[in-house]
Amino acid sequence: MIDVVKIAKALSDPIRYEILKFLVRRDAEPGAELVSNCCSGLCNCDIMQVFGLIQSRVSYHMRELVDAQLVIEEQRGKWKYYYPNYQILKDYVKQIEANFLQR
Amino acid sequence: MIDVVKIAKALSDPIRYEILKFLVRRDAEPGAELVSNCCSGLCNCDIMQVFGLIQSRVSYHMRELVDAQLVIEEQRGKWKYYYPNYQILKDYVKQIEANFLQR
DNA sequence: TGACTACATCAAAATAGTTTGATATGATAT
DNA sequence: ATATCATATCAAACTATTTTGATGTAGTCA
């Protein structure tokens, strides 16, 4: 079962929320211009560049998102490629609805 | 517009999450046995009793829930009566879906 | 091999959130 | 009015989270 409080905590940081939104937007627009030329997907260095954050800060927040299972990571050579975990997001919504909106 | 990150933060504390679940459950079962005899609704003192928390702690968490608009409070004499704000909960789910699950 | 790149990890500092006990406020009842 | 009850607020202590700079690790490429 999902840990709904842990997911809420992961979503409760504005930077993480924006990063996740960005991952989803980029995932939905596969033809969009690549942010950097470091790799074909979306990696740490892209997020650094887009949000103007230093490397260890991005690394920290991505680990939080991965730990909450909101984001799946995939190693590609020396890069980490991130993509949204839609199943967990769906489960989160379902759980919120089940706990608070069942009438 | 709702502040989705603020709502997530309010939901990210396990005590607040349980209190909100409790408010919803109690709201859905109007015939359920009253927890205390202090008032006809659900007040601070009920939550203290049910969760075994001291007064200032309950007061703090209820204020967080009210600030996030997840809970509406109503003064009744010397008591505060709390009930869930379903509209905000619905808006929160909608926003999560719009930001992350639109395909 | 060595130089370089991407990312992880660590410890320290900074910031934010939570808990507690004490005190304050405001309503009710006598 | 006073006494009592429910809740708010405050300051201090405590705990958790975030940020930073430094260093470590592992992959890549010449």
Side-chain angles (χ1 to χ4, degrees), chain B residues 9 13 16 56-57 60-61 77:
Chain B
K9 190 167 288 174
D13 181 276
R16 284 195 295 268
S56 60
R57 195 173 173 189
Y60 168 73
H61 283 301

Side-chain angles (χ1 to χ4, degrees), chain A residues 21-78:
Chain A
K21 257 168 67 178
F22 178 66
L23 288 184
V24 169
R25 263 200 315 273
R26 284 294 314 280
D27 198 40
E29 299 172 28
E33 200 61 36
L34 284 178
V35 174
S36 79
N37 52 9
C38 78
C39 56
S40 64
L42 203 43
C43 61
N44 232 311
C45 52
D46 287 314
I47 296 161
M48 286 173 64
Q49 206 185 318
V50 169
F51 291 92
L53 304 175
I54 64 172
Q55 185 267 323
S56 59
R57 194 172 173 190
V58 171
S59 191
Y60 168 73
H61 283 301
M62 295 318 291
R63 189 158 44 76
E64 293 291 304
L65 287 170
V66 169
D67 283 355
Q69 295 187 275
L70 286 167
V71 162
I72 296 166
E73 67 181 359
E74 193 185 299
Q75 190 89 34
R76 286 196 195 168
K78 60 180 166 181

Side-chain angles (χ1 to χ4, degrees), chain B residues 3 6-7 10 16 59-73 82 85 88:
Chain B
D3 186 341
K6 186 171 186 174
I7 294 170
R16 284 195 295 268
S59 192
Y60 168 73
H61 283 301
M62 295 318 290
R63 189 158 44 74
E64 293 291 306
L65 286 170
V66 169
D67 284 354
Q69 295 187 275
L70 285 167
V71 162
I72 296 165
E73 67 182 359
Y82 299 105
N85 187 348
I88 289 285

Side-chain angles (χ1 to χ4, degrees), chain B residues 11-25:
Chain B
L11 293 174
S12 76
D13 181 276
I15 290 171
R16 284 195 295 268
Y17 198 92
E18 288 307 312
I19 289 175
L20 188 57
K21 257 168 68 176
F22 179 66
L23 289 184
V24 169
R25 263 200 314 273

